Amino acid sequence: MTFTTLEDAEKFYRNYAKAAGFSTRVRCTNRKGNEIKNQLITCSREGKWKSKISPTEKTNPIAGLNCPARIYIHTLKDVGAWIISKVVLDHSHSCCPSKAEMLKQHRELSMSIHRTIENNEEAGIRPSKTYQSFVAAAGGHRELNFIEKDVRNYITREVRNVSEQEDAKEFGKYLLRMKEKNPNFFFELELEEDQSIKLAFWADARSRAAFEYFGDVISFDTTYNTNRYNLVCGSFVGVNHHGQSTLLGCSLMKNEEIESFKWLFQCWSKDSFDRNWNDFLLNFGLADNKWLSGSREQAERESDAADFHTVIPCATKSSIEAQFQDAYTHAKFREVQAQLRGKANCITRLKNSALGYSVYEVGEQVSSSIFNKFVVTYDSVAAKVKCQCLLFESRGILCRHALSVLSFEQVSQVSPRYILERWSKKVKRRHTHIKSSHDEPLMEPRSKRFDQLVFRSQNICEFASESEELTAILHRAYDNVIAEMESLKAKRKGTSSLSHENANLESVNELQSTPRIRTRGRPKNRLGSKLDKQITNATKKKKTRVLSEVKVMFFKFVAIEFIFLVNSLANV
């Protein structure tokens, strides 16, 4: 296959990868001067990365599986085209087209999505609500080619990039916006004479709702300190029904004096803070909001995709660990690994045995001098193991005591009864194929142009949607316009110049930084001319070789002079 540009070839392979169920990366690029001569693009699971952390301490998911799939692209001389000269289609792993959309390479935010995120952020709408609006408009999570994390990353990286001088103003605007959008948002500020923030307290609606359920015991912590402004950050924290910390309120304090704490705790006892959350739900019609369960489906899909596209390496050489690695989800396999690591602290003793039924005493060392003892029974005929701690019966995970006995009995594979389908990553669960029902739901020059185009196109689309004939006319017009724009863009592609005579704010804003090159340490040698390099290379040669070369050059010079002399005499 041949392509006009290298970008076209890369785009083709990227689109093929999405359809086939994998992602790609540029493995290497060879250049001659500033021109690219060839490029190798591989499956993203090519190679095998090895963690510097010992697997006995921690194991992280890895994607590299030495996958051989790749294409090799090189330029054709005197033609100006690119050709795929080598293709490897086989993979060392399974590919799933339905899960490809979860891979980072195939997730993208369009210009329209960017503008909606920016507008919603300016209006004080939470990123989660912004993402949910995209889901509702598209008709479900499956119809989007990005996830909520991409929305949050764009907000952090692009939208919230304000200067230090504007931070206080932006903070105040944020509090007002949140109060305007959500009457149950609570905040109070105490200012210095120069209008700088002395004390601040705020709690959003979610935190206030959580306070009703988890406010019986509250911890107030001021160990956090903001580096930029040297303000003490305090947090009111409760414990939810999962035993996890849940944030109930936040504060900023210029100092930790008694008066500061008195002001802060008075804000927490105020009647306005203790409004009835149920009234808020009723006023805004949120009592039966179905979004409370819609986000859980997406979280499960993302976890399924992680289980499919990555593998947590085994921490030991145990075949039992490999058995669970192959069957269990990441979360449950980590629990199994924790028990396998704990097996190192166990000592197994056989108490009695008869007719294949054995009773063991497993001592677990919990400190330098303390051992906890557990009775474990093993039936070699039925391949059953049972421990006194009842971890498997309560949590569905074999305990370290039972694993110690299995190791003592030299069991290489556990019975299938101990590999629960409940935790399996291979089961095709029917509910994952069923869509959830959802409710109906300073500008850059390019953003400004985009908004203007969208505004005008809305009227055209509304008019064309009245009939199939009008819609077909608009589609044909779109095709013609796109072809004309692509042709113009191709003509303009290449280098351009910018001078003081024609420069303006728009052209300067479109300037891009040169690509950053990742280096290790300082360069070994300075950049020099070709002559410098020749001199450097010459000095590294052996003296004998240098002398011989000098002699050769000398004799050549003498020969030339001799020939010149002979010719001169002949002419005379």
Side-chain angles (χ1 to χ4, degrees):
M1 298 183 67
T2 58
F3 300 89
T4 306
T5 64
L6 178 61
E7 290 76 14
D8 292 339
E10 293 174 344
K11 183 178 180 181
F12 166 79
Y13 193 52
R14 189 165 56 248
N15 291 337
Y16 163 74
K18 184 176 182 180
F22 67 100
S23 60
T24 67
R25 66 177 177 181
V26 177
R27 185 65 176 84
C28 65
T29 302
N30 294 324
R31 303 173 184 267
K32 187 175 182 180
N34 294 326
E35 295 183 359
I36 297 177
K37 292 299 181 182
N38 53 65
Q39 191 172 85
L40 175 64
I41 307 178
T42 67
C43 172
S44 60
R45 303 189 75 172
E46 181 266 346
K48 196 154 187 178
W49 175 80
K50 187 175 181 180
S51 175
K52 296 180 180 179
I53 303 175
S54 172
T56 58
E57 298 176 5
K58 184 181 181 181
T59 50
N60 292 322
I62 57 174
L65 286 176
N66 290 324
C67 184
R70 63 191 59 206
I71 63 170
Y72 184 77
I73 314 169
H74 71 84
T75 183
L76 293 174
K77 295 181 179 179
D78 304 325
V79 178
W82 294 83
I83 186 171
I84 298 180
S85 60
K86 182 179 179 180
V87 178
V88 178
L89 298 178
D90 296 330
H91 293 264
S92 64
H93 56 89
S94 301
C95 295
C96 182
S98 64
K99 290 184 171 66
E101 62 185 16
M102 290 287 103
L103 296 172
K104 186 177 181 181
Q105 182 186 53
H106 303 312
R107 306 195 315 255
E108 59 180 354
L109 302 178
S110 66
M111 189 69 184
S112 175
I113 298 297
H114 284 170
R115 293 297 299 128
T116 304
I117 295 173
E118 292 166 4
N119 292 333
N120 287 2
E121 179 67 13
E122 180 65 24
I125 299 175
R126 293 182 183 178
S128 59
K129 297 297 182 184
T130 297
Y131 178 71
Q132 290 167 4
S133 69
F134 293 140
V135 174
H141 292 95
R142 297 175 183 271
E143 308 304 322
L144 293 178
N145 58 349
F146 58 90
I147 61 177
E148 184 175 342
K149 182 179 179 181
D150 299 321
V151 175
R152 294 183 180 275
N153 287 343
Y154 179 74
I155 292 174
T156 303
R157 185 176 62 251
E158 303 291 341
V159 180
R160 295 179 180 173
N161 187 21
V162 296
S163 63
E164 293 185 9
Q165 291 78 10
E166 299 294 322
D167 275 354
K169 293 180 182 178
E170 289 297 324
F171 177 61
K173 291 178 182 178
Y174 165 77
L175 296 177
L176 291 175
R177 289 197 305 267
M178 294 300 293
K179 183 68 176 179
E180 180 181 355
K181 294 294 181 180
N182 192 333
N184 213 45
F185 184 88
F186 180 91
F187 75 92
E188 285 212 14
L189 301 177
E190 181 81 7
L191 305 178
E192 298 279 16
E193 292 182 358
D194 61 355
Q195 297 301 299
S196 63
I197 297 176
K198 180 181 180 181
L199 297 165
F201 171 76
W202 71 98
D204 64 7
R206 184 185 182 282
S207 297
R208 300 187 66 184
F211 173 73
E212 290 192 7
Y213 301 98
F214 314 124
D216 49 352
V217 178
I218 299 172
S219 169
F220 179 65
D221 187 12
T222 58
T223 57
Y224 302 99
N225 189 29
T226 60
N227 295 328
R228 185 175 296 178
Y229 302 110
N230 198 31
L231 291 172
V232 178
C233 180
S235 57
F236 292 87
V237 179
V239 179
N240 66 10
H241 55 300
H242 295 292
Q244 303 166 328
S245 298
T246 181
L247 190 63
L248 302 177
C250 293
S251 66
L252 292 174
M253 298 188 296
K254 205 166 188 177
N255 56 60
E256 295 185 86
E257 298 176 355
I258 295 177
E259 293 300 320
S260 298
F261 286 106
K262 287 177 62 177
W263 179 90
L264 186 61
F265 292 140
Q266 286 172 356
C267 289
W268 183 269
S269 304
K270 284 191 175 180
D271 295 337
S272 57
F273 180 77
D274 197 24
R275 288 178 184 171
N276 194 321
W277 176 250
N278 292 327
D279 291 342
F280 174 77
L281 293 178
L282 294 175
N283 290 337
F284 288 87
L286 300 176
D288 297 321
N289 193 290
K290 296 181 182 179
W291 283 113
L292 297 176
S293 58
S295 61
R296 301 314 305 164
E297 178 204 7
Q298 178 65 2
E300 182 177 338
R301 290 183 65 230
E302 293 177 18
S303 297
D304 288 344
D307 289 343
F308 185 85
H309 289 291
T310 61
V311 177
I312 295 181
C314 290
T316 67
K317 301 297 182 181
S318 169
S319 57
I320 292 179
E321 183 182 9
Q323 194 178 2
F324 283 105
Q325 178 201 42
D326 180 65
Y328 275 13
T329 62
H330 284 6
K332 287 301 169 183
F333 179 56
R334 287 187 186 278
E335 292 186 29
V336 173
Q337 285 189 319
Q339 296 301 318
L340 286 167
R341 291 190 182 100
K343 188 165 66 75
N345 300 322
C346 297
I347 299 175
T348 305
R349 293 188 180 91
L350 178 63
K351 302 294 289 184
N352 55 71
S353 178
L355 301 177
Y357 186 85
S358 304
V359 179
Y360 289 88
E361 183 183 84
V362 179
E364 181 182 4
Q365 186 173 9
V366 294
S367 66
S368 59
S369 59
I370 300 177
F371 284 81
N372 290 337
K373 296 180 180 180
F374 299 89
V375 176
V376 181
T377 59
Y378 177 68
D379 186 347
S380 60
V381 178
K384 289 185 178 180
V385 63
K386 185 172 183 178
C387 179
Q388 180 184 358
C389 74
L390 299 178
L391 182 69
F392 180 78
E393 288 75 8
S394 60
R395 295 181 56 186
I397 299 293
L398 277 177
C399 66
R400 48 193 173 273
H401 320 117
L403 291 170
S404 296
V405 170
L406 293 177
S407 178
F408 189 90
E409 291 278 349
Q410 297 182 349
V411 176
S412 60
Q413 296 283 302
V414 298
S415 171
R417 67 166 58 90
Y418 299 114
I419 301 180
L420 301 184
E421 187 178 84
R422 178 67 174 79
W423 313 132
S424 175
K425 63 182 177 183
K426 296 185 176 181
V427 175
K428 302 296 182 183
R429 296 179 172 86
R430 203 181 333 173
H431 73 278
T432 59
H433 302 286
I434 303 174
K435 294 184 179 181
S436 297
S437 58
H438 300 288
D439 294 333
E440 292 293 332
L442 296 173
M443 199 179 297
E444 290 291 325
R446 184 180 180 185
S447 299
K448 189 174 183 179
R449 292 194 297 267
F450 177 83
D451 287 352
Q452 292 172 347
L453 290 170
V454 169
F455 181 77
R456 292 198 64 183
S457 64
Q458 286 177 347
N459 295 330
I460 299 175
C461 293
E462 183 177 354
F463 180 72
S465 64
E466 293 179 0
S467 68
E468 291 291 340
E469 293 78 9
L470 293 176
T471 301
I473 293 174
L474 184 57
H475 278 305
R476 289 195 296 270
Y478 274 146
D479 294 338
N480 294 333
V481 170
I482 290 174
E484 184 179 353
M485 290 190 298
E486 289 180 345
S487 176
L488 179 62
K489 189 175 181 181
K491 291 179 181 179
R492 291 184 175 181
K493 193 171 184 179
T495 59
S496 60
S497 60
L498 185 66
S499 68
H500 68 280
E501 296 176 346
N502 58 10
N504 53 39
L505 179 60
E506 180 175 345
S507 60
V508 172
N509 284 337
E510 292 179 354
L511 291 176
Q512 302 293 327
S513 301
T514 56
R516 295 184 62 183
I517 300 175
R518 184 173 295 179
T519 60
R520 295 184 178 179
R522 69 173 181 84
K524 295 182 178 180
N525 298 307
R526 67 181 180 88
L527 295 176
S529 64
K530 185 176 181 180
L531 180 61
D532 291 335
K533 295 179 180 179
Q534 290 176 347
I535 295 173
T536 302
N537 292 334
T539 57
K540 294 180 180 179
K541 297 177 180 178
K542 295 182 180 180
K543 292 183 179 180
T544 55
R545 186 177 178 184
V546 174
L547 291 174
S548 64
E549 290 178 353
V550 171
K551 290 178 182 179
V552 172
M553 293 176 65
F554 174 76
F555 286 121
K556 285 183 179 179
F557 177 78
V558 171
I560 292 172
E561 289 294 322
F562 179 77
I563 293 172
F564 179 79
L565 180 61
V566 171
N567 291 334
S568 299
L569 292 174
N571 292 331
V572 173

